[in-house]
Each structure stands twice: as C-alpha cells, then as structure tokens.
Amino acid sequence: MASILEAEFKKAYKQVLESQNIYIASHVQPDGDNIGSMLSLGLALKKLNKNVRLLKSDEIPSDYMFLPNIDLIKDYDNIDEIDLFIALDSSDEGRLGKNKDLLSKAKTILNIDHHISNTDFGHINIVDHNASSTGELMYDFIKYMNISIDEDMATCIYTAISSDTGSFMYDNTSAKTHEIAADLIKIGIDKRNININLYQNKSLERTKLFIKTMDNLELYFENKVGLAKITQDMLEDCNAKMEDSEGIISFIRDISPVEVAILLKEFSNNEIKVSMRSKRYIDVAKICSNFGGGGHIRAAGCTINESIEEAKALILNEIEGLFR
Ligand code: 5GP
Ligand code: MN
C-alpha cells in the first residue's frame, strides 16, 4: 500500500473508532460499485457496534435489489448528530445530490473514491485512481480495521468490483483485483447467483429499449464514434425506465471500429445525462470535464441542460478535433 494512502487509512480508522453516529452516502444514480461499497462498509462498521446509517441519494436500480441488507439504504429525516460522514465513489460534493447539504453538519468527512477527477473534498481522503473500484478500497479498509469479511460483505464487495471492471475485463483490473476476488470466492460467495442477477436478468422491457436504441444508432468520424439517444418517448413506448439503459453504452463501445461510445439520456426536455466510454486512447473524463462532469479515462459522464439535439451538437463539436 502506498504510504500516503496508508496514512489516510490510519486517520480514517482512528476517526471511525472515535465516532458513534456514522452516515454513509451514495451518489446520484448509484451503480453497483457504489451500492456494494456502501453495504459492505455499513455491515463492517455495525460489527464495531457503531450507529451506522446508509443514506439513499437516489433510487436504487432493480439490478441491485438482490444484495443482502439492501433495505438498510434508505431516507432519514431530522439528521442532526453526524460524527462521521462517509462519501463513497463520489468524485465531488455535487455527486451526493440531496445529501450534499449534510456535509456542513458533519464533524468529519471521509471521502473514499477511485475517480481520477476526485476533488479531495473530505477531511480525510482515501482516493486511489489505480483502484479498480471503490469496492476494492472497501476490501482494503475493512481488512485494515481488522474486521473479518463475512459472506454478505463479500457478496457486496464482489458486486462492486465486478460492476466497475466490466466483469474483470477493463484495464483497471489488476492482479490485486483478481487476488481480492479470489479471497471473496474463498469466503463462500454464491458467484453464480451474483452473476445471474447482475448480467443475466434483463427484463423484456429492457430488451425492447435496447433494440429500439440500437436501431437508431448513429456513427460519426469514420465509425470511430457511436452515439445513441434515449428519450422519454422511447421509454414510454417500451414501458421501460431510464435504469433499463444499463448495458447499452458498453454494447456501443464493443462495436469493432468504435473508439468512443456516447449515450444521451433525456431525463427531461432540458436535462440530458451523457454517458461516455472509450476503448483505447481517448480520455473521456477530460471531454466530460469540459461540460462540468468527470469520471474515469475510459468511463465518464456529465449533464447538459439543453435539448437532446442541442446536447448532441455540443458534444460532437467538442470531440470533432480529436478525430481529424
Ligand atoms: P455513467 O456513464 O455510468 O453514469 O458514469 C460513468 C462514470 O462517470 C462513473 O464513474 C461516474 O461516477 C462518472 N460520472 C458520470 N456522470 C458524472 C457527472 O455528472 N459528474 C462527475 N464528476 N462524474 C460523473
Ligand atoms: Mn466506482
């Protein structure tokens, strides 16, 4: 472990021991890494007899409802005593959505994340962009605290890591990632059940949305850029929800000539959430940061407050220079 990180682990553990009321928050539009990380750390801190609460910053996608103790993530009213606020997988305060306001009430903020664009907004920052996932950092931190990882915690960490590594396929997957996964398997997780829930559980509505979206795929710059849109009308036609768009962006990136995949999700007529992925050489975190977003080099996002057509024009204009 790098020494700077070790010093932060030490401070974080000391702070955990000194705190009683601990809140752990998800980011908006939480993903498998975020939800799995929250649950694993929450369960671990409960073993230390802490008063731990897992804050819901947004709806939990149905994909993750199979996770043990998922009901622990919920809304809380009248929160006043926050000894320790732990933000997970959130590159900046804005990612915390409605729970951002709680930061000012917290005695101490612990920021644990693996985004290259993290702003180090905590009093203590365990930020390692070489970690495949926040789940990987959870494994290290829980071990550091000498808490034994049980099957439920292992299931949540495995889900977190698998989600953020594209099932152990992306460049961020290291030898250490596999070693951690091996240890989680030894603990006795039901790997098959996790994989079926994460990857082989698509509803017919989701399938219809996939077909409709791919049918309207647009290709630019000699097929190096693949772009698709999901509008509210399309969701209605398919009786689907925006969370059913999960997986579409990876499919676009997986098309042979495509280097950059772009998915424009219309949440409302002037709120377009953009997802971007790249395969080999384009830094999509940098592109998204020009629109106030961020993420990782190969997976990033931003929100554009324009119509979907205008958002598309802005993005294509922004990336055009990269493909000349
Ligand atoms: P997704 O496309 O799956 O929503 O997000 C891909 C990655 O980019 C995730 O790691 C996510 O945290 C990050 N990301 C997505 N949207 C935003 C955003 O608006 N701001 C920042 N800072 N990061 C984002
Ligand atoms: Mn993550």
Side-chain angles (χ1 to χ4, degrees):
M1 197 186 296
S3 59
I4 297 177
L5 216 51
E6 186 153 4
E8 294 299 294
F9 272 101
K10 191 171 175 184
K11 280 193 256 175
Y13 183 36
K14 182 166 179 281
Q15 203 52 242
V16 163
L17 292 177
E18 288 171 2
S19 303
Q20 193 50 40
N21 295 313
I22 303 179
Y23 286 81
I24 306 178
S26 78
H27 59 62
V28 289
Q29 293 161 31
D31 56 10
D33 185 26
N34 196 198
I35 295 166
S37 293
M38 282 182 90
L39 287 171
S40 62
L41 185 60
L43 295 174
L45 298 184
K46 275 182 185 289
K47 289 196 176 179
L48 295 180
N49 294 318
K50 299 295 171 185
N51 182 16
V52 193
R53 288 174 163 183
L54 306 185
L55 295 166
K56 194 163 134 184
S57 296
D58 218 338
E59 283 314 304
I60 311 278
S62 59
D63 297 24
Y64 310 114
M65 294 309 284
F66 77 98
L67 285 172
N69 302 285
I70 187 75
D71 293 344
L72 290 177
I73 305 179
K74 55 187 181 190
D75 290 314
Y76 288 92
D77 299 324
N78 307 322
I79 301 171
D80 24 53
E81 279 282 296
I82 307 180
D83 299 326
L84 182 61
F85 184 99
I86 308 178
L88 294 182
D89 202 42
S90 303
S91 52
D92 58 64
E93 290 136 302
R95 298 286 293 155
L96 299 168
K98 64 183 180 193
N99 288 317
K100 180 184 166 190
D101 297 343
L102 294 175
L103 290 173
S104 60
K105 288 191 180 178
K107 286 184 198 141
T108 306
I109 298 164
L110 168 59
N111 163 26
I112 310 183
D113 186 33
H114 69 126
H115 289 92
I116 199 162
S117 55
N118 192 288
T119 58
D120 285 344
F121 60 89
H123 297 109
I124 305 167
N125 301 288
I126 298 180
V127 176
D128 179 8
H129 70 259
N130 292 314
S132 67
S133 50
T134 302
E136 199 169 308
L137 294 170
M138 291 301 102
Y139 177 90
D140 283 344
F141 187 42
I142 294 169
K143 285 256 167 185
Y144 185 88
M145 295 189 289
N146 271 316
I147 300 169
S148 106
I149 299 182
D150 64 20
E151 195 181 320
D152 280 355
M153 288 152 67
T155 298
C156 295
I157 298 174
Y158 189 89
T159 296
I161 297 177
S162 178
S163 302
D164 255 28
T165 55
S167 330
F168 304 91
M169 187 173 35
Y170 301 154
D171 291 352
N172 62 2
T173 313
S174 64
K176 183 181 166 189
T177 314
H178 282 290
E179 278 159 15
I180 293 173
D183 194 36
L184 300 173
I185 292 168
K186 282 184 214 155
I187 290 170
I189 56 167
D190 187 344
K191 194 160 62 69
R192 182 209 272 161
N193 185 49
I194 298 173
N195 284 324
I196 289 177
N197 274 289
L198 290 180
Y199 307 115
Q200 300 174 342
N201 199 25
K202 295 179 178 64
S203 66
L204 284 173
E205 291 79 12
R206 183 175 289 204
T207 309
K208 279 184 199 152
L209 182 67
F210 176 84
I211 293 169
K212 206 175 190 64
T213 310
M214 293 311 290
D215 202 27
N216 290 296
L217 178 72
E218 300 173 25
L219 293 161
Y220 297 93
F221 312 122
E222 295 169 330
N223 304 336
K224 288 195 186 71
V225 173
L227 178 147
K229 293 177 266 189
I230 299 181
T231 61
Q232 288 296 320
D233 284 348
M234 289 163 73
L235 294 180
E236 207 172 305
D237 285 351
C238 302
N239 194 22
K241 295 190 207 147
M242 202 52 102
E243 67 177 65
D244 292 316
S245 64
E246 177 71 38
I248 293 181
I249 183 96
S250 345
F251 195 95
I252 300 173
R253 180 210 48 218
D254 294 351
I255 301 167
S256 175
V258 169
E259 168 61 22
V260 176
I262 303 168
L263 185 64
L264 304 176
K265 294 178 271 188
E266 181 188 55
F267 277 82
S268 71
N269 52 19
N270 66 348
E271 188 190 355
I272 311 302
K273 168 80 179 68
V274 183
S275 282
M276 268 192 221
R277 302 289 185 270
S278 65
K279 196 180 287 165
R280 292 191 177 89
Y281 55 91
I282 298 284
D283 180 349
V284 287
K286 203 164 152 199
I287 301 171
C288 289
S289 72
N290 292 332
F291 294 98
H296 310 285
I297 292 171
R298 302 275 173 262
C302 60
T303 298
I304 299 182
N305 293 111
E306 298 284 352
S307 70
I308 197 160
E309 287 306 322
E310 183 59 22
K312 173 179 135 181
L314 287 169
I315 293 206
L316 289 176
N317 184 52
E318 181 69 33
I319 63 176
E320 190 181 7
L322 302 172
F323 291 101
R324 272 215 205 93

